[in-house]
Amino acid sequence: MNKHITLLFVAVTLLVSCRSNNHTYTRSEDEMNRYITALMHQMTLEEKVGQLSLPVGGDITTGQPRLSNTAEDIRAGRVGGLFNLKGAEQIREVQRIAVEESRLGIPLLFGMDVIHGYETVFPIPLGLSCSWDMEAIERSARIAAIEATADGICWTFSPMVDISHDGRWGRISEGSGEDPYLGARIAEAMVRGYQTDELSDSTSMLACVKHFALYGAVEAGREYNFVDMSRYRMFNEYMAPYEAAVRAGAGSVMAAFNVVEGVPCHGNKWLLTDVLREQWGFKGFVVADYTGVEHLHDNGVSPDHRSAAIQAIQAGLDMDMASAAYQTLIDAVREGRVSVATIDKACRRILEAKYKLGLFEDPYRYCHPERRALVRCPEHRQAARQIAAESMVLLKNEGDLLPLAKKGTIALIGPLADARTHMAGTWSVAAVHEEYKTLREGIAEALEGTGARLLYAKGSNLMYDAAQEGIISIFGHDIRDNRSAETMRAEALHVARQADVIVCAMGEGSESAGECASRVHIELYDAQRDLLAALLQLGKPVVLLHFAGRPTVLEWESAHVPAILETWFSGSEGADAIADVLFGDANPSGHLTTQFPHHVGQYPFSYRYYRTSRPNTGGTFGKYSTCYQDVSTYPLYPFGYGLSYTDFEVSEPTWQAQEGDAVGIVSATITNTGNREGATVLQLYLSDPFSEGVRPYIELCAFERINLQAGESRLVQFTITPDMLAYYNPMGIKTIEPGEYQLRVGLNSRDLSEPVIFSL
Ligand code: BGC
């Protein structure tokens, strides 16, 4: 065959294979490369740039997909994927337009923010992380993938792994809290859950690690704000979860809205190419955040969209989201400002993802309505209920008020007690709120047949100020009551007087946290605090079920309310899960992954604070020590903290030096000294008292979640390997320094054993 005939043959085979969908090929790297090379040979510059474009579903979600402008763009090969479309049939129809009506029939990627579940919604990620249960977290991602892929979606914009030390930042709800080690383990678990080992399995979906990088460090916790940080801090505190997700094989990465070292992430070559690809070996593609490329203009680094697009593609950003900026690359190439090779690189990476997902083999592989039966199936709901219970953190339980007995009269009071749309929590794009129980319904069901009486009153709105409450009512989460505050409170007091115990469901609204939900008043809203104070005046036992998407200031509540359970936003099965914990059918085992401050002024705030000159001891004011005059330097509830309905005791740890790969083994025995089964998290903290660069007093370096029967003991052993002692020194080099190290164990970061000491 001469060269021309060969090429023609490849082209025809390609067209036939794309359209007939029954082309089989082995999925070796070589085969993929040959396939994509042949395909790219056929592509015009416009079609290549088209692959770099990710519009929102937009006009295709309403009315006739076939007749929309987006459909026209798809036919013309100007679209690489779409996001936030839902439903196998609709997605099949849109995919059909791409595959049958565009010149080369290249299938589309369908993405969605499947952040903490799909229609089965798990607790918000911050809550999930408090379970410290890697298997359960992986399972939550697996279930999310099974459901989303049954509905046509093959790409999720998750995991969000941004470390944050600032409860003012609303998006702290979407991440795993403040610790890089724990964050990295969770990032890996989620990537595994979404992608499995076989991306081409039709229940696997492509993960997208976000937001690269340092988004959780926005100044003053203000959304989209400037970030300024030394590389020393960046690599020791913030980068580990992104790197772990990349090394676990995440197929895509999303750039962050913020700036790193003066350069917006979307145009930051050092970040997107040098660190991500060259240092960490990332092989997938990088996608913009929503209109992120255009924001290079708002950041004042690019005078127009064309130069923004040029800066972004040259930095290593492959796909544009929800903007037309990358369309300008066609002219930029013609003008010689961007090389075809640069476009080719980005295009290839996106086609590779499609190939690995098996979309060239069968573009409809995620569109099988019969798999819908799996969506919110009993097994998934049961898993969500269980992990929701595991994610709740018992903050206080004076006199063992909890669990409540299922008897007598219980008054359930508060604006979140009967608020259906607030159960799932922020970023529940696929949620079917009308299908989820309210807490009131969950508790009523738990009490059925017990003879216990449940009374209810709303008691207050979320806030006094209707306009403020309006801010969080987007997405139809409006539960405002038009009665006056006095009338509502009087009703609640009337109801509470008849009860033996008062259960308050109070806190933030689900959209009080999440994107663009920065707040500086992170205590309970006045309307609810006043109601709570009035209820406490009745002198009856009061339980606070606290709903939140962030760490909150519960200073007053912890001083006055006997029992407090942090329930976060616990997802579609949250009502049943809260009832399980409230009545002791589940024993709380969550441990905080973000510590709760005494005062918002303590932010940014972490248990992992660095050694300073003039150290402070005891957390209170000490002249010329690092402290505040008017508030403790310690948290109200520390990182790693969480109570149980049973008690645990941890022995002093012992150390056994090892030869070979391990440095040694730390052992401690943990005993359930109470009278019921329960789980807790044994945490191991490292200290390096003298090092070239200043290090934190303690850093989490290992943990184990342990379930024990009443009276049961277990010996827990942590193997210490040299990499656990490593850090990035002031020169930016990952180093293990010789000298003394200390290890402490405990059930939270403030209440630790004496150290075991060893030297390298
Ligand atoms: C958010 C991302 C999200 C994207 C698409 C942006 O506003 O920052 O986290 O994935 O929208 O919905």
Side-chain angles (χ1 to χ4, degrees):
M1 241 189 276
N2 74 32
K3 191 173 150 211
H4 289 105
I5 295 175
T6 311
L7 269 182
L8 186 68
F9 176 74
V10 170
V12 170
T13 316
L14 205 56
L15 284 170
V16 169
S17 70
C18 286
R19 294 201 169 157
S20 67
N21 310 320
N22 58 8
H23 182 53
T24 51
Y25 46 86
T26 52
R27 293 196 185 91
S28 74
E29 191 101 355
D30 280 355
E31 188 76 19
M32 175 177 81
N33 292 341
R34 270 201 297 279
Y35 187 89
I36 291 173
T37 303
L39 176 57
M40 286 180 63
H41 241 92
Q42 309 305 306
M43 294 174 79
T44 61
L45 173 64
E46 286 80 355
E47 284 165 337
K48 287 175 183 168
V49 169
Q51 287 301 308
L52 318 188
S53 163
L54 179 72
V56 208
D59 57 358
I60 219 153
T61 54
T62 51
Q64 282 290 332
R66 291 184 54 73
L67 303 178
S68 65
N69 292 334
T70 310
E72 211 27 65
D73 286 338
I74 295 171
R75 281 187 197 99
R78 286 193 288 264
V79 178
L82 288 170
F83 72 102
N84 289 353
L85 287 188
K86 192 182 172 199
E89 269 149 31
Q90 188 183 34
I91 290 179
R92 174 178 276 272
E93 169 54 13
V94 178
Q95 188 70 298
R96 198 196 57 72
I97 298 172
V99 171
E100 293 187 13
E101 298 180 21
S102 74
R103 193 177 76 86
L104 290 173
I106 300 174
L108 301 170
L109 285 173
F110 289 94
M112 187 188 259
D113 289 285
V114 182
I115 307 295
H116 49 112
Y118 189 67
E119 287 190 15
T120 301
V121 183
F122 292 87
I124 54 165
L126 184 62
L128 266 179
S129 69
C130 292
S131 72
W132 299 59
D133 185 340
M134 298 307 112
E135 264 173 48
I137 291 173
E138 179 173 340
R139 178 124 199 268
S140 76
R142 186 83 287 274
I143 288 174
I146 290 170
E147 294 196 0
T149 56
D151 231 9
I153 292 146
C154 57
W155 180 26
T156 175
F157 304 141
S158 171
M160 188 281 210
V161 304
D162 302 320
I163 295 296
S164 181
H165 298 170
D166 203 327
R168 293 170 297 184
W169 190 52
R171 299 197 82 167
I172 197 168
S173 58
E174 288 173 62
S176 298
E178 66 182 64
D179 185 69
Y181 174 76
L182 178 63
R185 299 295 77 77
I186 292 176
E188 291 161 351
M190 296 201 69
V191 171
R192 276 197 307 271
Y194 290 134
Q195 296 195 165
T196 70
D197 292 337
E198 186 49 76
L199 200 51
S200 66
D201 186 291
S202 62
T203 66
S204 298
M205 65 177 163
L206 197 71
C208 181
V209 189
K210 68 187 190 185
H211 305 82
F212 193 54
L214 320 182
Y215 188 17
V218 283
E219 230 167 67
R222 200 187 78 210
E223 185 65 299
Y224 315 127
N225 205 4
F226 199 71
V227 170
D228 195 13
M229 188 185 295
S230 67
R231 287 198 188 177
Y232 183 71
R233 185 164 221 181
M234 197 183 291
F235 282 97
N236 282 308
E237 270 180 63
Y238 285 81
M239 288 300 205
Y242 306 109
E243 182 178 357
V246 164
R247 295 201 190 273
S252 65
V253 168
M254 185 184 289
F257 284 132
N258 52 279
V259 162
V260 167
E261 297 192 321
V263 183
C265 295
H266 284 75
N268 193 320
K269 179 172 172 302
W270 174 74
L271 200 63
L272 301 187
T273 300
D274 301 359
V275 174
L276 186 61
R277 294 195 183 276
E278 283 158 28
Q279 227 168 293
W280 297 347
F282 177 62
K283 296 269 185 292
F285 70 93
V286 180
V287 64
D289 201 347
Y290 205 104
T291 56
V293 174
E294 292 178 2
H295 293 320
L296 293 178
H297 172 72
D298 302 298
N299 279 126
V301 298
S302 301
D304 51 36
H305 288 167
R306 182 176 312 183
S307 42
I310 294 170
Q311 181 173 345
I313 192 101
Q314 284 173 341
L317 188 116
D318 303 304
M319 191 177 221
D320 190 8
M321 181 193 280
S323 97
Y326 266 23
Q327 279 302 313
T328 64
L329 290 174
I330 298 169
D331 285 341
V333 171
R334 294 201 172 116
E335 289 161 8
R337 295 173 69 192
V338 170
S339 69
V340 175
T342 302
I343 305 289
D344 277 0
K345 231 192 280 175
C347 175
R348 178 176 284 276
R349 289 173 185 147
I350 291 158
L351 294 175
E352 279 177 5
K354 294 181 178 185
Y355 187 97
K356 287 179 185 161
L357 284 163
L359 287 170
F360 286 109
E361 195 179 48
D362 175 6
Y364 307 111
R365 64 206 318 262
Y366 299 101
C367 304
H368 293 286
E370 67 280 5
R371 277 184 51 209
R372 262 306 292 180
L374 290 171
V375 178
R376 278 197 89 226
C377 65
E379 190 194 330
H380 292 180
R381 292 181 56 189
Q382 183 53 32
R385 180 172 176 167
Q386 215 168 315
I387 191 168
E390 276 187 18
S391 71
M392 291 172 201
V393 183
L394 184 62
L395 296 175
K396 185 177 174 192
N397 195 18
E398 206 172 86
D400 289 337
L401 174 55
L402 287 175
L404 298 182
K406 291 179 184 167
K407 64 176 198 203
T409 302
I410 298 168
L412 176 65
I413 292 172
L416 291 157
D418 206 17
R420 200 174 309 284
T421 55
H422 287 263
M423 295 309 293
T426 188
W427 281 113
S428 304
V429 176
V432 280
H433 297 287
E434 62 286 2
E435 300 277 323
Y436 308 151
K437 282 180 209 162
T438 69
L439 178 59
R440 183 185 178 187
E441 290 164 351
I443 293 182
E445 214 171 284
L447 294 178
E448 244 166 46
T450 61
R453 207 156 65 106
L454 179 67
L455 307 176
Y456 162 76
K458 182 167 177 182
S460 80
N461 280 310
L462 285 171
M463 312 172 210
Y464 285 127
D465 185 340
Q468 275 289 319
E469 194 163 327
I471 292 177
I472 62 157
S473 299
I474 46 168
F475 306 131
H477 293 197
D478 191 1
I479 53 167
R480 199 163 173 87
D481 195 310
N482 289 327
R483 291 176 295 165
S484 74
E486 293 69 31
T487 307
M488 291 173 76
R489 195 175 310 155
E491 181 192 60
L493 289 170
H494 173 70
V495 163
R497 278 192 196 97
Q498 303 165 52
D500 303 310
V501 57
I502 302 166
V503 175
C504 296
M506 296 180 172
E508 298 186 302
S510 70
E511 295 308 320
S512 303
E515 185 168 353
C516 203
S518 295
R519 290 173 52 200
V520 297
H521 293 290
I522 56 167
E523 57 285 340
L524 202 59
Y525 291 115
D526 288 351
Q528 298 179 59
R529 167 81 62 78
D530 294 348
L531 171 64
L532 185 57
L535 291 167
L536 282 161
Q537 293 268 313
L538 298 178
K540 302 191 183 222
V542 174
V543 176
L544 173 59
L545 302 175
H546 189 248
F547 286 54
R550 51 157 54 84
T552 20
V553 173
L554 292 175
E555 184 81 346
W556 186 89
E557 292 73 12
S558 79
H560 295 94
V561 184
I564 307 174
L565 180 72
E566 182 58 66
T567 69
W568 311 110
F569 289 98
S570 46
S572 56
E573 316 309 312
D576 289 329
I578 296 173
D580 288 344
V581 175
L582 186 64
F583 297 113
D585 296 316
N587 190 352
S589 57
H591 287 247
L592 294 178
T593 57
T594 176
Q595 56 188 7
F596 283 24
H598 289 279
H599 190 279
V600 70
Q602 290 176 286
Y603 283 125
F605 191 38
S606 167
Y607 85 91
R608 237 174 148 277
Y609 59 100
Y610 290 87
R611 293 170 192 273
T612 59
S613 55
R614 310 235 161 144
N616 172 265
T617 40
T620 51
F621 177 74
K623 195 73 176 164
Y624 305 120
S625 78
T626 176
C627 62
Y628 298 104
Q629 286 192 341
D630 51 357
V631 73
S632 170
T633 48
Y634 292 164
L636 173 62
Y637 295 116
F639 175 83
Y641 172 86
L643 304 174
S644 162
Y645 295 154
T646 188
D647 295 307
F648 297 97
E649 252 175 46
V650 182
S651 70
E652 285 302 317
T654 57
W655 173 254
Q656 260 176 293
Q658 300 285 300
E659 301 285 321
D661 292 345
V663 180
I665 295 175
V666 188
S667 309
T669 300
I670 176 159
T671 307
N672 179 346
T673 56
N675 52 15
R676 57 169 294 169
E677 180 187 355
T680 189
V681 180
L682 186 65
Q683 301 152 40
L684 183 69
Y685 292 91
L686 173 78
S687 307
D688 180 357
F690 294 99
S691 45
E692 191 185 350
V694 174
R695 293 183 74 169
Y697 283 96
I698 54 168
E699 301 167 52
L700 182 75
C701 67
F703 61 88
E704 193 168 323
R705 197 187 138 84
I706 302 141
N707 193 75
L708 294 172
Q709 300 297 324
E712 190 185 350
S713 288
R714 174 117 21 108
L715 176 72
V716 180
Q717 297 196 305
F718 295 108
T719 302
I720 308 304
T721 50
D723 60 298
M724 292 165 81
L725 312 175
Y727 82 118
Y728 289 89
N729 72 11
M731 304 302 293
I733 298 163
K734 202 166 183 184
T735 322
I736 304 165
E737 291 183 359
E740 180 187 306
Y741 289 89
Q742 304 174 349
L743 288 162
R744 294 171 171 82
V745 292
L747 301 178
N748 72 67
S749 61
R750 284 229 59 82
D751 195 6
L752 296 175
S753 67
E754 288 301 312
V756 294
I757 299 173
F758 64 94
S759 292
L760 270 197

